[in-house]
Amino acid sequence: MPVKIRLQRHGKKGKPFYWIVAANSRAKRDGKFLEKLGTYNPISNPAQIEVNVDAAVKWLQNGAQPSDTARRILSYKGVLLKHHLLGGVAKGALTAEQAEAKFNAWVEAKNNKVSSKEEKLAKEKAAAKAKALDAEKEANEKRKNEAAAKAAEAAAAATAAQAEGEAAAEQPQETEA
């Protein structure tokens, strides 16, 4: 029974959400699976990926073949690195402690990189929000100034009309006799 590590689609139309599963290669895409290894949400930025590293490594050691997308996800989360390091332990090139230390150092570096990206995205979002707020304030000030100018014009026109009316009332009207 050839086993594949692949994605199983869930979620609504236009809002995909995936389970990372180990399944028989002949099973349907969203059908029966052997074990759920994690989840993948591509909608969020950065994408949310949760993987049970030990279970995924176990399946890789037993000969499971990941699909292209699953391979990228497993590589991103360090599953393939851990599988590689455990291969070195089996050959005697490393001790288990050295392999675990290398893996933990890599995970720490990866987490720092992801957190810096999240901070950068948060800063960009805040800057865009501040820029939009400034543009809105400027538009409001412009609107207020235009309204004040129109009100001043209307008041001046009303004053002029009133002055003309008074001037007309003061002039004696000539009547034909």
Side-chain angles (χ1 to χ4, degrees):
M1 168 173 82
V3 177
K4 296 283 262 180
I5 297 175
R6 63 185 183 197
L7 301 180
Q8 191 177 65
R9 186 181 166 126
H10 292 272
K12 296 196 272 187
K13 180 171 41 168
K15 297 187 182 219
F17 183 83
Y18 298 95
W19 286 0
I20 303 166
V21 298
N24 185 336
S25 64
R26 289 169 243 152
K28 295 179 181 178
R29 179 193 73 178
D30 298 338
K32 189 174 179 182
F33 60 91
L34 301 170
E35 185 178 358
K36 180 180 174 183
L37 303 175
T39 60
Y40 168 54
N41 182 6
I43 300 297
S44 62
N45 188 9
Q48 288 180 317
I49 302 171
E50 295 177 16
V51 177
N52 183 345
V53 176
D54 295 327
V57 169
K58 179 191 81 164
W59 280 105
L60 288 172
Q61 288 176 336
N62 288 335
Q65 294 296 314
S67 66
D68 292 339
T69 306
R71 180 180 302 280
R72 286 187 197 101
I73 290 171
L74 295 178
S75 175
Y76 180 79
K77 292 308 271 185
V79 173
L80 296 179
L81 174 66
K82 188 163 188 174
H83 176 62
H84 177 73
L85 291 173
L86 291 178
V89 170
K91 291 179 182 178
L94 298 169
T95 64
E97 294 80 23
Q98 289 174 330
E100 193 65 30
K102 283 186 176 187
F103 178 72
N104 289 335
W106 183 87
V107 167
E108 186 67 30
K110 186 71 166 183
N111 287 339
N112 290 339
K113 190 174 180 182
V114 169
S115 64
S116 68
K117 181 180 179 184
E118 288 174 346
E119 290 172 4
K120 179 183 170 191
L121 289 172
K123 286 179 184 178
E124 288 175 359
K125 187 176 181 181
K129 194 173 186 179
K131 185 177 178 182
L133 183 62
D134 289 342
E136 190 174 332
K137 284 181 181 178
E138 185 177 312
N140 284 342
E141 286 297 321
K142 185 177 178 182
R143 200 175 303 123
K144 284 179 185 178
N145 292 340
E146 288 175 0
K150 285 183 181 179
E153 287 177 17
T159 306
Q162 186 179 18
E164 286 181 17
E166 290 176 4
E170 290 178 2
Q171 287 182 349
Q173 292 182 355
E174 297 179 18
T175 57
E176 289 183 25

